[in-house]
Amino acid sequence: MKKMKKFFLPFMILGILLLAVGCANSEETGNSSGGSEPKVDKSKEAQENIKTVLENTFTGPNNEQQEILFKGADEDIEKYAEKLTEYREKNFKPYMSERFYENGIVNTNGAIGFLVIAYPKYILTVDDITLEEREAKEGDYDFNVKVTYTNKENEESETMNVEGTASTNDEGKITSIRYLHAEEFRDALRN
């Protein structure tokens, strides 16, 4: 029995040391990968996604957009639909959840609504976008977009603020956008 204890004692000590080192390493890697850095990156990514979508929503219609959105409607319907799909996939899909992209962009033409109202009289440009994360829920933001609309005929410009909220998921993708008082901006573009 004493021989067995002498034989197993070094292995038991070695096993305990390996277990202690293994636990210490997993705690270190757990802390570095599960810390606050990924949240900061996701928050930054969410903010960039929101800004990009708002920029794409309130800028134009430029020549490319006019060709796709308005002149393309006179073409073969399949060709027009294909160009419109490519435009939306390039400018909106990478920044949104699949569900919001389908429901908020494809099914309702939500991304081009302001451009349709502005055409042919105005050109829209974004001067500034401010975002503020809402305290109520992580991933929700209040936004303010300062949009200048320029009359093509007389080159006169006016500026309006479009406010709203946007929600993002854990991946930083947009899950909803809600505009507050958007009808005021639409009315200004109709006049």
Side-chain angles (χ1 to χ4, degrees), residues 48-62:
E48 289 301 316
N49 287 343
I50 293 168
K51 285 181 179 181
T52 300
V53 166
L54 292 172
E55 183 91 29
N56 291 341
T57 301
F58 292 104
T59 301
N62 61 29

Side-chain angles (χ1 to χ4, degrees), residues 26-40:
S26 69
E27 284 178 10
E28 288 175 14
T29 57
N31 286 342
S32 66
S33 66
S36 62
E37 288 183 1
K39 286 184 181 180
V40 171

